[in-house]
Amino acid sequence: MEKSLFRKEVLPFFSQFTLLIVATIIVDVMLHQLGLVWIGRYLGIPGTLIILLSFLYSLRKRKKIQRGSPKKWMHFHEICAWSGSLLILVHGGIHFNAILPWLAIIAMLVEIMSGLTGEFLLKRSQQRVSSRKKYFLQQGLSQEKIENTIFWDAVAVDLMKKWRSVHLPITLVFSVLSIIHIVTVFLFWEWK
């Protein structure tokens, strides 16, 4: 029996996002248990640099970088974005010191969700709906029966197609909030 779109595509997507949150909690708890909370304060710097590295994929996609396959660059983008986000989430920790960093964290989490939606779900879901449609055609089902059978899968795919309309503006919001956060850190840093 064929797995549903939810079990095959949506569940792994949420698992990957949940893994990021759980890994953040584990690292944060370990730093607290080892008395190394101060390290978290500095993890924002490498996290930000790693996320900036992930934007090399955008340069490759726009053909500013000619080397390497787009698929490998996309994989590089995903690894850098996930790793950098982990470091930044640990940096943010569970400390409620100021609203600006939390707004940046929330924007980053929404950006991660939209990025995962676009890459992890949309392409795979479109392929799945297409292959199911072909399979049912080969089985001799009528067009109406096929449409009824794959209706909810098709609705899910149509909703996911709107992911770029969220991902790009959220990337901009996250970037602006992060820059403001970094500038305010430098302004109020105790340089003694």
Side-chain angles (χ1 to χ4, degrees):
M1 185 173 163
E2 199 172 322
K3 288 184 180 179
S4 72
L5 179 65
F6 179 81
R7 282 194 359 231
K8 186 171 180 173
E9 305 297 341
V10 177
L11 204 55
F13 159 75
F14 282 111
S15 298
Q16 189 172 351
F17 185 76
T18 302
L19 178 64
L20 176 63
I21 302 303
V22 169
T24 299
I25 293 167
I26 289 170
V27 172
D28 195 49
V29 166
M30 285 175 49
L31 289 175
H32 279 82
Q33 292 294 319
L34 296 171
L36 300 172
V37 177
W38 62 271
I39 291 175
R41 182 176 185 185
Y42 298 99
L43 289 179
I45 297 166
T48 300
L49 294 174
I50 292 170
I51 286 178
L52 288 174
L53 270 177
S54 79
F55 287 110
L56 289 174
Y57 164 71
S58 296
L59 294 176
R60 174 60 178 105
K61 192 166 89 174
R62 288 164 182 75
K63 297 186 171 122
K64 304 288 185 199
I65 296 175
Q66 299 296 321
R67 293 189 125 156
S69 72
K71 187 175 182 177
K72 286 182 181 178
W73 278 103
M74 173 53 99
H75 187 67
F76 174 78
H77 172 74
E78 292 169 347
I79 289 170
C80 286
W82 196 92
S83 303
S85 297
L86 173 66
L87 294 177
I88 289 173
L89 287 170
V90 172
H91 165 72
I94 54 170
H95 316 286
F96 298 96
N97 298 332
I99 191 145
L100 180 61
W102 276 98
L103 290 175
I105 291 280
I106 291 167
M108 184 180 71
L109 289 172
V110 173
E111 180 182 12
I112 292 167
M113 291 288 283
S114 69
L116 287 172
T117 299
E119 182 55 31
F120 194 78
L121 292 179
L122 183 59
K123 286 183 184 175
R124 289 178 178 101
S125 299
Q126 287 173 323
Q127 292 169 351
R128 178 170 164 73
V129 168
S130 177
S131 68
R132 288 188 75 206
K133 197 172 198 176
K134 286 178 189 173
Y135 171 78
F136 290 136
L137 277 172
Q138 291 172 347
Q139 297 301 314
L141 270 74
S142 70
Q143 193 65 30
E144 183 181 346
K145 181 70 174 165
I146 293 171
E147 295 301 323
N148 288 338
T149 304
I150 64 169
F151 175 76
W152 289 110
D153 289 349
V155 168
V157 168
D158 286 342
L159 287 173
M160 286 185 280
K161 284 181 184 176
K162 298 178 183 4
W163 77 275
R164 275 197 177 114
S165 64
V166 173
H167 191 62
L168 296 176
I170 290 297
T171 299
L172 180 62
V173 169
F174 169 62
S175 299
V176 168
L177 290 170
S178 296
I179 290 167
I180 293 170
H181 171 62
I182 291 166
V183 168
T184 58
V185 165
F186 280 115
L187 287 175
F188 297 108
W189 190 286
E190 295 181 25
W191 295 96
K192 298 176 189 178

